[in-house]
Amino acid sequence: MTTTGEDHMTAWGGPWWWARWRSAVLDVSLAVVSAVECAGEGIPFARDAGIPSAAGVVFGLLAGSVLVLRRRWPIAVVLVSIAITPAQMGFLMGIVGLYTLAASELPRRIIGSLAGMQLVGTLIVTFVRVRQDMARGDLTLGDWFVPFASIATSLGLTAPPLLLGLYVGARRRLMESLRERADSLERELQLLAERAEERAEWARNEERTRIAREMHDVVAHRVSLMVVHAAALQAVARKDPEKAVKNAALVGDMGRQALTELREMLGVLRSGNGGSVRRESVPLAAVGMAAAVAASRAVDDGNGADGPCLSDLDVLVGQSAAAGMVVDLSVEGEARPYAAEVEQTAFRVVQEALTNVHKHAAGAKTRVRLAHRESEIAMQVENGPPPEEMSSARLPSGGNGLVGMKERVVALGGVFVSGPTEAGGFRVSAVIPAS
């Protein structure tokens, strides 16, 4: 980062009030030159004033050395230079002091007042000296030369350092402002980078959640039906061989379909476009999209459908019925086309609810209700308590099914409610806006 203000002063570590050693050396050198100048000008001043020359030299040395304080107290330096103007000494101190004053951060009214005082003082002193020289005969020019010389000298000693100091001060303030803006922009860029990293991490977490939800939808339903059919196969293997063969065929078909869908999703982890294998890492968004595509074919029999829709509920209910579930499907209202994400979400809610019945209430009577309303679509899956004589298939549960259903419904602006019923069963209800 850039260094400004106090940080800049601390970085160089000059002595006393100086920001840098170079500035201290410059001011001390100027003060020495000014002291020598004033000491030399103090000799004629002492002669004119009728005092010892040594006193004039000492006075000049003390007055000229005040220039060393120009950065600390520029007003004092300018006042001293104005005070010794009648003695015709301190020209260097006046010029440098006025320049330092104009370049400082003091208010403009103070700078203008002191510059005006120095201008008037120089004008009066020059006018008096030139007039005295003409009266003594040292100058033989006309009377016009007195005001001309006074004005030209006063302006020459005042205007250039004043204008140069104002320019340097404005440029210095501009540079400080640019440094501060650069520091501010750098801090803002750091904050933006941190926020971008946070957003990227949030996006990665969202994609991980989406992938987990889609893979759950792909695998859970088919594997649940496989376990149910396997349990039924074990129960009827000796009593009804034909039914056992049929159940075994169903288990094999569902296993092959589940493996196919898993292979498609895992293939995306190795290849970004599902084609040639690449060594580069694949964005989680691509995996999530592929998982969604695979999940959309979870109940498709290979006819090339784009994704699950409400018209596939009959097939879904039929699969559960083939697994031994007593399930009834009722549809209210007039069916109409919905957006693809609405139909897929409604289908997934019913699918996961039926999967949970297979897991936790095998053999329970289940009722699936679908209602087409004016501005929304509602679905409800309710099952009764499982029969005591039915053995559980002992399906594992990760507790993510209800969470995934709620996330899908809420993402579309809908409402999701689930919980046990008074009869000992379980109910899953969802309402999704139609648009």
Side-chain angles (χ1 to χ4, degrees), residues 214-235:
E214 296 295 348
M215 292 187 69
H216 179 274
D217 292 338
V218 169
V219 178
H221 185 70
R222 292 196 185 278
V223 173
S224 298
L225 293 179
M226 289 171 59
V227 174
V228 172
H229 281 293
L233 175 62
Q234 183 180 7

Side-chain angles (χ1 to χ4, degrees), residues 140-376:
T140 58
L141 298 175
D143 294 339
W144 61 268
F145 182 74
V146 177
F148 172 78
S150 303
I151 295 174
T153 303
S154 59
L155 288 177
L157 294 176
T158 305
L162 177 65
L163 296 177
L164 181 61
L166 291 175
Y167 167 75
V168 172
R171 184 175 181 274
R172 182 185 301 153
R173 287 188 290 271
L174 176 62
M175 295 301 296
E176 292 293 332
S177 175
L178 292 178
R179 290 193 188 99
E180 291 177 359
R181 290 180 61 184
D183 292 343
S184 176
L185 289 175
E186 187 172 354
R187 288 191 294 269
E188 290 179 3
L189 288 176
Q190 290 179 350
L191 291 176
L192 289 176
E194 293 175 359
R195 292 177 182 175
E197 182 62 26
E198 292 176 357
R199 287 194 296 267
E201 182 64 25
W202 176 84
R204 286 192 290 268
N205 292 334
E206 287 294 315
E207 286 300 328
R208 291 189 186 99
T209 303
R210 180 185 175 191
I211 293 170
R213 184 169 59 242
E214 296 295 348
M215 292 187 69
H216 179 274
D217 292 338
V218 169
V219 178
H221 185 70
R222 292 196 185 278
V223 173
S224 298
L225 293 179
M226 289 171 59
V227 174
V228 172
H229 281 293
L233 175 62
Q234 183 180 7
V236 302
R238 296 180 180 178
K239 300 178 181 180
D240 192 349
E242 293 183 1
K243 188 175 182 179
V245 172
K246 181 179 179 181
N247 287 340
L250 288 174
V251 171
D253 291 340
M254 292 181 181
R256 283 188 291 271
Q257 293 173 2
L259 286 175
T260 301
E261 291 158 0
L262 283 176
R263 188 178 297 111
E264 291 176 355
M265 283 186 292
L266 294 177
V268 177
L269 295 174
R270 300 184 180 91
S271 175
N273 55 6
S276 60
V277 177
R278 296 186 302 180
R279 297 183 180 273
E280 299 177 358
S281 60
V282 180
L284 287 174
V287 181
M289 293 176 61
V293 173
S296 69
R297 295 196 294 268
V299 296
D300 184 33
D301 293 330
N303 54 5
D306 294 335
C309 56
L310 294 177
S311 60
D312 297 327
L313 285 180
D314 293 333
V315 178
L316 181 65
V317 172
Q319 290 179 346
S320 296
M325 177 187 295
V326 180
V327 56
D328 176 52
L329 173 63
S330 61
V331 180
E332 301 175 5
E334 184 179 356
R336 63 182 186 276
Y338 299 95
E341 59 271 16
V342 174
E343 294 206 15
Q344 292 177 13
T345 300
F347 181 89
R348 294 300 182 200
V349 170
V350 177
Q351 181 189 55
E352 182 59 29
L354 292 177
T355 302
N356 287 340
V357 175
H358 285 296
K359 290 181 178 180
H360 308 293
K365 294 183 179 180
T366 305
R367 184 180 182 186
V368 179
R369 298 177 58 190
L370 182 67
H372 300 277
R373 299 172 184 171
E374 182 177 355
S375 59
E376 61 188 15

